[in-house]
Amino acid sequence: MEGTSTFPLPSTTDHVRYTDGVLTLDGLALDGLVADVGTPAYVYSLDVMAAAMERARAAFAPLGGQVSYSVKVNSNQAVLARMVRLGAGFDVVSGGELSRVLAVGGDPARTTFAGVGKTDEELALAVRHDVLVNIESADECEALNRVAAALGRRVRCGIRVNPGVTVDTLAPMQTGSAKAKFGLPATEARALLDACLAGRYPQLSLLGVHMHVGSQVPEPSGMVRAAEVLLDLLEYAQQRGLDEFRRFDLGGGFPIDYGGPAVPTVEEFAAALTPLLGGRRDLDVYLEPGRSIAGPAGVLVAQVLYRKHRPGQRMLVLDTGMHHLIRPALYRTDVHRILPVLAGPSAGPTVVVGPVCESTDTFAESAELPDLAPGDLVAFMDAGAYGMVMASHYNTNRKPPEIVVENGAARVARPREQWSSLFASERP
Ligand code: LLP
């Protein structure tokens, strides 16, 4: 870290640092980066995202792992275009996300489609583009078979398995427990395989298994236990003569350091899975990380509008809120560290809130911030994943613009919206 600061940054955010007292991203001062578009604004380093993708690839290369980017975390076209240039595959969860990937020249043959509630329209789009569909229920199998038959096509499929494993992450992010809505329990997955072998779904080519045990997974053992369940199923299919049943998709979930307890690295996850998956010629390993690729690469820059004081407490009102970054309201306050763009000594714990008419529009109960005044800038760390994609127009607010930094140069990848465009398509 360079320059003066009372706010040390952990290693996941080396690219975000103070230089001569100003917070920078990839060496560019954040106040200068947002000067033209104003605040609030998301700023992402595409180079940091690319480096994270390369790191995941290198970590899983000994297992032959192929890495797809989970589009849901940050689907700006500039981000997707960089992933295309890297030769990444994509994991999508809606027709909209698939359309984004197609629009930017992503390879549909290396795109997978997940989700418990795909509509016929979405399935048809996937079938027409030869996207692999990860099936989550027997009913979905029926629907997909019907849609593919109507189009006169076969469709490549995986089975999303619910491994019945609960990982120790925030409850909303646990997706592999027996109670979760995601995937098919192993017994039902076997029944589905049998039905397929019996010729019930002639349009489907079943190619393997898929899982996603949760997000921000705190340590690898849950992923390993889930992988054991999937491996059983893969072997069951292969014993029944399904030789092409080889895909072994581990999903995403690799954690990032939000400034709390240390989290394991992607290399540690790969090492933990190696005894199970290493040296196996009968399977092809895939993964689909999102947060670990895009999260640390982005910040949300906002401005202090007003100072308010609760009894004994400092409070700042910002020009951004839960409509732009909903994670604190949805999961836990204080999850994103808030740093002043101009460094200064801490004035003590500060409550940081947004402008929305909801009490949950609270970012932090005790952020360590200097004595900031209206017009001063702050930056939310690790906001590159699940930030802008979860933004809404609540209170008919505009979404923030998005700025990307690539090779040391910044450009606007999505301008600020106009108020009038927010209701232009409505019919009074
Ligand atoms: N694959 C599947 C099938 C998923 O459902 C997800 C995330 C991922 C991959 C990517 O997971 P990641 O590597 O990013 O952990 N909105 C929440 C997170 C929800 C995660 C949903 N699924 C948040 O803001 O933390």
Side-chain angles (χ1 to χ4, degrees):
M1 198 163 92
E2 300 168 17
T4 45
S5 164
T6 49
F7 303 92
L9 296 165
S11 61
T12 46
T13 52
D14 272 353
H15 55 289
V16 181
R17 59 166 71 186
Y18 287 97
T19 304
D20 298 329
V22 184
L23 197 60
T24 62
L25 181 137
D26 283 0
L28 302 176
L30 283 171
D31 52 358
L33 277 171
V34 301
D36 286 344
V37 294
T39 58
Y42 277 100
V43 186
Y44 316 125
S45 165
L46 298 186
D47 296 334
V48 169
M49 292 188 194
M53 176 54 85
E54 295 297 7
R55 183 173 165 184
R57 281 174 162 170
F60 277 86
L63 294 176
Q66 298 188 47
V67 187
S68 288
Y69 172 68
S70 176
V71 172
K72 67 161 71 78
V73 307
N74 186 327
S75 56
N76 186 288
Q77 296 278 281
V79 173
L80 300 186
R82 183 67 184 260
M83 293 298 149
V84 169
R85 294 214 302 282
L86 284 172
F90 294 93
D91 182 58
V92 300
V93 290
S94 70
E97 285 189 358
L98 177 52
S99 301
R100 281 181 179 274
V101 169
L102 296 172
V104 83
D107 182 0
R110 285 189 301 130
T111 299
T112 52
F113 190 2
V116 289
K118 310 176 190 85
T119 63
D120 278 12
E121 184 187 14
E122 292 177 314
L123 292 174
L125 185 67
V127 171
R128 280 203 304 275
H129 290 280
D130 194 28
V131 166
L132 183 137
V133 179
N134 281 315
I135 294 163
E136 300 227 11
S137 64
D139 280 353
E140 186 183 342
C141 262
E142 300 283 353
L144 184 57
N145 192 64
R146 171 172 44 75
V147 167
L151 292 167
R153 316 263 308 228
R154 281 180 69 80
V155 52
R156 299 179 304 126
C157 301
I159 303 179
R160 165 93 176 251
V161 179
N162 181 320
V165 168
T166 307
V167 294
D168 186 19
T169 183
L170 291 177
M173 295 175 209
Q174 294 170 351
T175 49
S177 72
K179 280 201 288 191
K181 67 177 175 177
F182 302 98
L184 284 152
T187 44
E188 286 183 36
R190 280 182 185 220
L192 199 74
L193 270 166
D194 291 339
C196 240
L197 284 166
R200 170 134 186 211
Y201 308 113
Q203 309 306 125
L204 310 191
S205 306
L206 278 185
L207 298 181
V209 279
H210 172 236
M211 70 181 207
H212 175 72
V213 288
S215 205
Q216 193 67 3
V217 176
E219 46 94 34
S221 67
M223 210 181 265
V224 174
R225 273 182 287 134
E228 283 165 1
V229 176
L230 264 69
L231 204 51
D232 265 2
L233 204 70
L234 187 118
E235 286 167 357
Y236 178 83
Q238 292 184 349
Q239 279 155 16
R240 271 151 193 77
L242 268 180
D243 294 335
E244 72 277 25
F245 199 86
R246 305 175 48 87
R247 286 184 63 96
F248 199 90
D249 190 334
L250 294 161
F254 308 101
I256 64 171
D257 179 359
Y258 282 103
V263 294
T265 61
V266 67
E267 291 81 6
E268 285 168 327
F269 276 88
L273 287 158
T274 298
L276 194 67
L277 304 179
R280 293 203 55 143
R281 290 165 182 272
D282 59 336
L283 51 85
D284 302 323
V285 173
Y286 292 83
L287 45 151
E288 48 194 38
R291 188 192 312 268
S292 57
I293 307 298
V299 298
L300 171 63
V301 182
Q303 187 176 153
V304 176
L305 290 179
Y306 304 113
R307 287 169 286 199
K308 290 187 71 153
H309 294 276
R310 283 187 196 157
Q313 270 183 320
R314 314 165 58 78
M315 183 187 273
L316 296 174
V317 184
L318 304 184
D319 64 354
T320 189
M322 63 189 292
H323 52 311
H324 297 153
L325 180 63
I326 200 174
R327 303 191 70 254
L330 207 51
Y331 308 122
R332 189 162 54 83
T333 55
D334 296 277
V335 58
H336 288 274
R337 285 165 303 141
I338 307 172
L339 301 180
V341 169
L342 298 185
S346 173
T350 307
V351 181
V352 182
V353 303
V356 172
C357 325
E358 306 245 1
S359 288
T360 51
D361 187 24
T362 300
F363 288 120
E365 292 290 349
S366 57
E368 288 292 336
L369 286 167
D371 188 18
L372 299 179
D376 288 341
L377 301 182
V378 295
F380 290 82
M381 296 296 100
D382 306 301
Y386 304 112
M388 180 65 166
V389 287
M390 294 176 81
S392 77
H393 290 130
Y394 188 36
N395 290 179
T396 309
N397 277 305
R398 296 173 293 194
K399 293 185 187 180
E402 293 172 289
I403 298 169
V404 294
V405 176
E406 200 165 25
N407 293 324
R411 63 178 195 277
V412 176
R414 188 182 205 269
R416 192 178 306 283
E417 295 170 327
Q418 305 289 318
W419 280 322
S420 57
S421 70
L422 301 185
F423 51 85
S425 60
E426 294 170 21
R427 304 280 175 264

mmCIF file of all heavy atoms in Angstrom, residues 7 10 64 90 122 136-137 150 187 194 208-209 229 235 246-247 259 266 274 285 315 361 392 395 405:
data_model
loop_
_atom_site.group_PDB
_atom_site.id
_atom_site.type_symbol
_atom_site.label_atom_id
_atom_site.label_comp_id
_atom_site.label_asym_id
_atom_site.label_seq_id
_atom_site.Cartn_x
_atom_site.Cartn_y
_atom_site.Cartn_z
ATOM 1 N N PHE A 7 -6.661 3.098 6.451
ATOM 2 C CA PHE A 7 -7.565 2.032 6.048
ATOM 3 C C PHE A 7 -6.813 0.954 5.288
ATOM 4 O O PHE A 7 -6.800 0.948 4.058
ATOM 5 C CB PHE A 7 -8.699 2.601 5.191
ATOM 6 C CG PHE A 7 -9.463 3.672 5.907
ATOM 7 C CD1 PHE A 7 -9.104 4.996 5.768
ATOM 8 C CD2 PHE A 7 -10.488 3.343 6.760
ATOM 9 C CE1 PHE A 7 -9.795 5.982 6.443
ATOM 10 C CE2 PHE A 7 -11.177 4.339 7.448
ATOM 11 C CZ PHE A 7 -10.836 5.649 7.290
ATOM 12 N N PRO A 10 -7.046 -5.574 2.459
ATOM 13 C CA PRO A 10 -6.524 -6.939 2.351
ATOM 14 C C PRO A 10 -6.084 -7.248 0.926
ATOM 15 O O PRO A 10 -6.369 -6.492 -0.003
ATOM 16 C CB PRO A 10 -7.710 -7.809 2.765
ATOM 17 C CG PRO A 10 -8.905 -6.985 2.489
ATOM 18 C CD PRO A 10 -8.489 -5.558 2.658
ATOM 19 N N GLY A 64 -7.982 -30.951 -15.166
ATOM 20 C CA GLY A 64 -8.582 -30.806 -16.495
ATOM 21 C C GLY A 64 -9.805 -29.901 -16.481
ATOM 22 O O GLY A 64 -10.647 -29.953 -17.378
ATOM 23 N N PHE A 90 -19.818 -19.908 -20.548
ATOM 24 C CA PHE A 90 -20.742 -19.089 -19.757
ATOM 25 C C PHE A 90 -21.794 -19.971 -19.104
ATOM 26 O O PHE A 90 -22.239 -20.960 -19.704
ATOM 27 C CB PHE A 90 -21.447 -18.060 -20.651
ATOM 28 C CG PHE A 90 -20.501 -17.029 -21.217
ATOM 29 C CD1 PHE A 90 -19.919 -17.209 -22.458
ATOM 30 C CD2 PHE A 90 -20.171 -15.907 -20.477
ATOM 31 C CE1 PHE A 90 -19.022 -16.273 -22.965
ATOM 32 C CE2 PHE A 90 -19.279 -14.962 -20.979
ATOM 33 C CZ PHE A 90 -18.707 -15.147 -22.224
ATOM 34 N N GLU A 122 -37.731 -19.967 -22.999
ATOM 35 C CA GLU A 122 -36.294 -20.002 -22.688
ATOM 36 C C GLU A 122 -35.673 -21.324 -23.144
ATOM 37 O O GLU A 122 -34.561 -21.350 -23.695
ATOM 38 C CB GLU A 122 -36.084 -19.807 -21.186
ATOM 39 C CG GLU A 122 -36.455 -18.401 -20.722
ATOM 40 C CD GLU A 122 -36.328 -18.219 -19.223
ATOM 41 O OE1 GLU A 122 -36.789 -19.100 -18.459
ATOM 42 O OE2 GLU A 122 -35.794 -17.189 -18.792
ATOM 43 N N GLU A 136 -33.476 -29.675 -13.734
ATOM 44 C CA GLU A 136 -33.664 -29.663 -12.276
ATOM 45 C C GLU A 136 -34.875 -30.455 -11.805
ATOM 46 O O GLU A 136 -35.124 -30.535 -10.603
ATOM 47 C CB GLU A 136 -33.783 -28.223 -11.791
ATOM 48 C CG GLU A 136 -32.567 -27.384 -12.106
ATOM 49 C CD GLU A 136 -32.093 -26.573 -10.915
ATOM 50 O OE1 GLU A 136 -32.568 -26.818 -9.799
ATOM 51 O OE2 GLU A 136 -31.244 -25.710 -11.132
ATOM 52 N N SER A 137 -35.673 -30.997 -12.710
ATOM 53 C CA SER A 137 -36.835 -31.777 -12.265
ATOM 54 C C SER A 137 -37.297 -32.685 -13.399
ATOM 55 O O SER A 137 -36.971 -32.448 -14.579
ATOM 56 C CB SER A 137 -37.994 -30.852 -11.861
ATOM 57 O OG SER A 137 -38.446 -30.123 -12.989
ATOM 58 N N ALA A 150 -40.596 -30.450 -30.850
ATOM 59 C CA ALA A 150 -41.313 -29.497 -31.705
ATOM 60 C C ALA A 150 -40.354 -28.789 -32.659
ATOM 61 O O ALA A 150 -40.734 -28.400 -33.764
ATOM 62 C CB ALA A 150 -42.053 -28.485 -30.829
ATOM 63 N N THR A 187 -31.586 -40.054 -5.551
ATOM 64 C CA THR A 187 -32.480 -41.158 -5.925
ATOM 65 C C THR A 187 -33.348 -40.778 -7.127
ATOM 66 O O THR A 187 -33.547 -41.580 -8.045
ATOM 67 C CB THR A 187 -33.409 -41.529 -4.745
ATOM 68 O OG1 THR A 187 -33.893 -40.329 -4.160
ATOM 69 C CG2 THR A 187 -32.696 -42.357 -3.702
ATOM 70 N N ASP A 194 -32.687 -43.728 -15.468
ATOM 71 C CA ASP A 194 -33.317 -44.982 -15.905
ATOM 72 C C ASP A 194 -34.391 -44.703 -16.948
ATOM 73 O O ASP A 194 -34.487 -45.419 -17.954
ATOM 74 C CB ASP A 194 -33.932 -45.722 -14.699
ATOM 75 C CG ASP A 194 -32.864 -46.254 -13.758
ATOM 76 O OD1 ASP A 194 -31.706 -46.412 -14.206
ATOM 77 O OD2 ASP A 194 -33.180 -46.492 -12.572
ATOM 78 N N GLY A 208 -24.104 -35.608 -18.261
ATOM 79 C CA GLY A 208 -23.384 -35.555 -16.994
ATOM 80 C C GLY A 208 -24.164 -34.924 -15.870
ATOM 81 O O GLY A 208 -25.376 -34.739 -15.958
ATOM 82 N N VAL A 209 -23.425 -34.592 -14.827
ATOM 83 C CA VAL A 209 -24.032 -34.088 -13.602
ATOM 84 C C VAL A 209 -23.554 -32.668 -13.299
ATOM 85 O O VAL A 209 -22.470 -32.256 -13.720
ATOM 86 C CB VAL A 209 -23.695 -34.996 -12.393
ATOM 87 C CG1 VAL A 209 -24.609 -36.205 -12.354
ATOM 88 C CG2 VAL A 209 -22.232 -35.402 -12.398
ATOM 89 N N VAL A 229 -21.262 -37.482 -3.917
ATOM 90 C CA VAL A 229 -22.625 -37.890 -4.298
ATOM 91 C C VAL A 229 -22.749 -37.902 -5.827
ATOM 92 O O VAL A 229 -23.306 -38.834 -6.426
ATOM 93 C CB VAL A 229 -23.668 -36.927 -3.681
ATOM 94 C CG1 VAL A 229 -25.077 -37.273 -4.149
ATOM 95 C CG2 VAL A 229 -23.590 -36.958 -2.159
ATOM 96 N N GLU A 235 -20.949 -42.745 -11.989
ATOM 97 C CA GLU A 235 -20.543 -44.143 -12.153
ATOM 98 C C GLU A 235 -21.758 -45.028 -12.446
ATOM 99 O O GLU A 235 -21.689 -45.945 -13.259
ATOM 100 C CB GLU A 235 -19.783 -44.611 -10.906
ATOM 101 C CG GLU A 235 -18.387 -44.016 -10.864
ATOM 102 C CD GLU A 235 -17.680 -44.172 -9.529
ATOM 103 O OE1 GLU A 235 -18.303 -44.701 -8.576
ATOM 104 O OE2 GLU A 235 -16.508 -43.755 -9.438
ATOM 105 N N ARG A 246 -20.130 -37.857 -18.993
ATOM 106 C CA ARG A 246 -18.794 -37.559 -18.480
ATOM 107 C C ARG A 246 -18.677 -36.200 -17.802
ATOM 108 O O ARG A 246 -17.686 -35.915 -17.152
ATOM 109 C CB ARG A 246 -17.777 -37.535 -19.635
ATOM 110 C CG ARG A 246 -17.694 -38.745 -20.496
ATOM 111 C CD ARG A 246 -16.740 -38.495 -21.658
ATOM 112 N NE ARG A 246 -15.489 -37.910 -21.207
ATOM 113 C CZ ARG A 246 -14.442 -38.618 -20.781
ATOM 114 N NH1 ARG A 246 -14.483 -39.934 -20.775
ATOM 115 N NH2 ARG A 246 -13.348 -38.012 -20.366
ATOM 116 N N ARG A 247 -19.666 -35.331 -18.018
ATOM 117 C CA ARG A 247 -19.554 -33.958 -17.486
ATOM 118 C C ARG A 247 -19.703 -33.965 -15.970
ATOM 119 O O ARG A 247 -20.635 -34.547 -15.425
ATOM 120 C CB ARG A 247 -20.658 -33.064 -18.059
ATOM 121 C CG ARG A 247 -20.478 -32.654 -19.478
ATOM 122 C CD ARG A 247 -21.581 -31.698 -19.872
ATOM 123 N NE ARG A 247 -21.513 -30.483 -19.101
ATOM 124 C CZ ARG A 247 -20.917 -29.370 -19.497
ATOM 125 N NH1 ARG A 247 -20.380 -29.307 -20.689
ATOM 126 N NH2 ARG A 247 -20.876 -28.313 -18.717
ATOM 127 N N GLY A 259 -13.332 -8.736 3.862
ATOM 128 C CA GLY A 259 -12.726 -8.005 4.969
ATOM 129 C C GLY A 259 -13.049 -8.635 6.310
ATOM 130 O O GLY A 259 -12.695 -8.109 7.355
ATOM 131 N N VAL A 266 -8.997 -20.467 -4.210
ATOM 132 C CA VAL A 266 -9.476 -21.391 -5.237
ATOM 133 C C VAL A 266 -8.500 -22.560 -5.384
ATOM 134 O O VAL A 266 -8.907 -23.706 -5.640
ATOM 135 C CB VAL A 266 -9.729 -20.636 -6.565
ATOM 136 C CG1 VAL A 266 -8.449 -20.108 -7.175
ATOM 137 C CG2 VAL A 266 -10.485 -21.482 -7.561
ATOM 138 N N THR A 274 -8.824 -32.873 -5.355
ATOM 139 C CA THR A 274 -7.912 -33.698 -6.146
ATOM 140 C C THR A 274 -7.941 -35.192 -5.777
ATOM 141 O O THR A 274 -7.960 -36.038 -6.672
ATOM 142 C CB THR A 274 -6.476 -33.128 -6.066
ATOM 143 O OG1 THR A 274 -6.513 -31.817 -6.639
ATOM 144 C CG2 THR A 274 -5.488 -33.986 -6.832
ATOM 145 N N VAL A 285 -14.128 -32.241 -15.938
ATOM 146 C CA VAL A 285 -14.495 -31.327 -14.852
ATOM 147 C C VAL A 285 -14.796 -29.929 -15.400
ATOM 148 O O VAL A 285 -14.064 -29.410 -16.248
ATOM 149 C CB VAL A 285 -13.351 -31.247 -13.816
ATOM 150 C CG1 VAL A 285 -13.643 -30.176 -12.758
ATOM 151 C CG2 VAL A 285 -13.127 -32.602 -13.164
ATOM 152 N N MET A 315 -24.223 9.761 11.494
ATOM 153 C CA MET A 315 -24.929 9.107 10.383
ATOM 154 C C MET A 315 -24.692 9.889 9.092
ATOM 155 O O MET A 315 -24.730 11.127 9.096
ATOM 156 C CB MET A 315 -26.431 9.035 10.676
ATOM 157 C CG MET A 315 -27.210 8.301 9.587
ATOM 158 S SD MET A 315 -29.007 8.393 9.855
ATOM 159 C CE MET A 315 -29.271 7.007 10.906
ATOM 160 N N ASP A 361 -32.715 0.076 4.266
ATOM 161 C CA ASP A 361 -31.782 0.746 3.351
ATOM 162 C C ASP A 361 -30.612 1.312 4.161
ATOM 163 O O ASP A 361 -30.379 2.517 4.212
ATOM 164 C CB ASP A 361 -32.505 1.854 2.580
ATOM 165 C CG ASP A 361 -31.621 2.451 1.495
ATOM 166 O OD1 ASP A 361 -30.692 1.756 1.049
ATOM 167 O OD2 ASP A 361 -31.861 3.611 1.112
ATOM 168 N N SER A 392 -32.290 -2.092 -8.858
ATOM 169 C CA SER A 392 -33.672 -1.968 -9.308
ATOM 170 C C SER A 392 -34.009 -0.493 -9.527
ATOM 171 O O SER A 392 -33.211 0.397 -9.217
ATOM 172 C CB SER A 392 -34.629 -2.552 -8.270
ATOM 173 O OG SER A 392 -34.776 -1.645 -7.189
ATOM 174 N N ASN A 395 -38.556 3.249 -6.319
ATOM 175 C CA ASN A 395 -38.746 4.700 -6.136
ATOM 176 C C ASN A 395 -38.495 5.468 -7.436
ATOM 177 O O ASN A 395 -38.208 6.660 -7.437
ATOM 178 C CB ASN A 395 -37.834 5.274 -5.039
ATOM 179 C CG ASN A 395 -38.209 4.831 -3.633
ATOM 180 O OD1 ASN A 395 -37.547 5.196 -2.678
ATOM 181 N ND2 ASN A 395 -39.261 4.034 -3.466
ATOM 182 N N VAL A 405 -12.388 -0.269 -16.548
ATOM 183 C CA VAL A 405 -10.979 0.081 -16.727
ATOM 184 C C VAL A 405 -10.293 -1.126 -17.337
ATOM 185 O O VAL A 405 -10.458 -2.255 -16.860
ATOM 186 C CB VAL A 405 -10.326 0.458 -15.375
ATOM 187 C CG1 VAL A 405 -8.840 0.724 -15.561
ATOM 188 C CG2 VAL A 405 -11.022 1.656 -14.757
#
